[in-house]
Amino acid sequence: MTESVVLKKEIPPYNVFDERCPTRDVLARIADKWALLILARLENGPMRFNKLQRDIQRITKKVLTQALRKLERDGLVSREVFATVPVTVEYSLTPLGQALTETVTVLAHWVESNMDAIVAAQSAYDAANAQT
Amino acid sequence: MTESVVLKKEIPPYNVFDERCPTRDVLARIADKWALLILARLENGPMRFNKLQRDIQRITKKVLTQALRKLERDGLVSREVFATVPVTVEYSLTPLGQALTETVTVLAHWVESNMDAIVAAQSAYDAANAQT
DNA sequence: CCGTATCCCCAGGGATACTG
DNA sequence: CAGTATCCCTGGGGATACGG
């Protein structure tokens, strides 16, 4: 009888805990304070470069540009140039970025919603570890 | 007639986009590659220090300790010492950390699930921006 | 308006060794 | 086992100025 060999389905061995897995680099790029803020900010629609910089306070043009390039390379953000004078550039979430951002937004909101508990924990921790 | 003045309910003005809001610091602490990996790793239950270090590859004791302390201070992780010989220390998620980690895990899984699309985007980007 | 180009700087992370 | 203690070091930001 001919054995029907059931090949183990090759599930992509992506695993963020494997130091060699490229997902780890991607996660590290997303797990960046600026990246998260940018994604969260773009959730409500396209936005120009300067508007982004103004909304996300304390970020320099250089760093914002770098962060946007990385997000663009990973296919999370798209960049569109309009030939106005002076030039206008709009950034928006790609469908891929949109999906990711939903989770990112949950994260940001979670922090806001639980900030009181976090502050309390910090106080307790600091009190317990108080130095002379 | 006496106006019944409806006081605007004072919702905590927590907002990650405000540079002065403490939520921003917390988000920055969570938005850290090591912090995310630690939280994700602790999701399945308590874990000892060395096990944690082995599972999360490429992290040194120093950095792991620092990361755990921050998470502990924010009330996301708890540390329990057992007077065995040699000493055993277990780290686990607090209820607060548990809730957060659910979202974190979604994020990690999202990356793994969408890695193929991300890789494709990277290739396209690199091809479009090829030098010379 | 939307970025580069420079310069500078130090905090944070790596490597290694040691201890309760 | 679970951390400190040191030393080193670099690259990621910050500030500023300029350019298309």
Side-chain angles (χ1 to χ4, degrees):
Chain A
M1 100 198 250
T2 52
E3 294 274 334
S4 95
V5 179
V6 178
L7 294 174
K8 261 170 100 179
K9 191 165 185 182
E10 269 303 334
I11 298 174
Y14 289 137
N15 170 19
V16 293
F17 288 111
D18 179 357
E19 57 171 326
R20 297 186 194 175
C21 188
T23 53
R24 186 132 169 183
D25 303 323
V26 174
L27 185 63
R29 243 170 282 149
I30 295 172
D32 170 80
K33 62 172 177 174
W34 296 130
L36 288 198
L37 288 174
I38 290 170
L39 290 176
R41 202 62 213 170
L42 288 179
E43 201 188 18
N44 300 325
M47 203 172 277
R48 285 178 305 97
F49 184 88
N50 274 9
K51 179 80 164 71
L52 261 178
Q53 193 189 3
R54 258 176 281 119
D55 283 5
I56 305 172
Q57 304 167 35
R58 291 264 183 187
I59 187 171
T60 62
K61 289 177 190 292
K62 188 179 85 173
V63 174
L64 178 56
T65 301
Q66 289 171 343
L68 284 169
R69 292 289 176 277
K70 289 178 194 170
L71 293 173
E72 200 190 343
R73 178 166 186 270
D74 285 339
L76 303 171
V77 161
S78 69
R79 177 178 184 270
E80 193 173 5
V81 182
F82 298 92
T84 54
V85 181
V87 66
T88 301
V89 179
E90 256 188 16
Y91 290 92
S92 56
L93 294 175
T94 62
L96 198 64
Q98 187 89 45
L100 171 62
T101 302
E102 285 169 24
T103 302
V104 168
T105 301
V106 171
L107 204 69
H109 286 359
W110 186 92
V111 174
E112 291 172 350
S113 302
N114 293 275
M115 192 60 201
D116 290 334
I118 293 173
V119 169
Q122 292 173 344
S123 300
Y125 183 93
D126 292 345
N129 299 48
Q131 313 277 38
T132 42
Chain B
M1 99 198 254
T2 52
E3 294 273 336
S4 96
V5 179
V6 178
L7 293 175
K8 263 171 97 179
K9 191 164 186 181
E10 268 304 333
I11 298 172
Y14 290 135
N15 170 19
V16 292
F17 288 111
D18 180 357
E19 59 171 326
R20 297 186 193 175
C21 187
T23 52
R24 186 132 168 182
D25 303 323
V26 174
L27 186 62
R29 244 170 282 147
I30 296 172
D32 170 80
K33 60 171 176 174
W34 296 129
L36 289 197
L37 288 175
I38 291 170
L39 291 175
R41 202 63 214 169
L42 288 178
E43 200 187 21
N44 300 325
M47 204 172 275
R48 287 177 305 96
F49 184 86
N50 274 8
K51 178 81 164 72
L52 215 43
Q53 193 190 1
R54 258 176 281 117
D55 282 8
I56 305 172
Q57 306 167 33
R58 291 265 183 186
I59 186 171
T60 63
K61 288 177 190 296
K62 189 179 86 173
V63 173
L64 177 57
T65 301
Q66 288 171 344
L68 284 169
R69 292 289 176 278
K70 289 178 193 169
L71 293 173
E72 199 189 345
R73 179 168 187 269
D74 285 340
L76 303 171
V77 160
S78 70
R79 176 178 183 272
E80 194 173 3
V81 181
F82 299 92
T84 54
V85 180
V87 67
T88 301
V89 180
E90 256 188 15
Y91 291 91
S92 55
L93 294 176
T94 63
L96 198 63
Q98 187 88 44
L100 170 62
T101 302
E102 285 169 25
T103 303
V104 169
T105 301
V106 171
L107 204 68
H109 287 358
W110 186 92
V111 174
E112 291 171 349
S113 302
N114 292 274
M115 192 59 200
D116 289 333
I118 293 173
V119 169
Q122 292 174 344
S123 300
Y125 182 92
D126 292 344
N129 298 47
Q131 309 283 37
T132 50

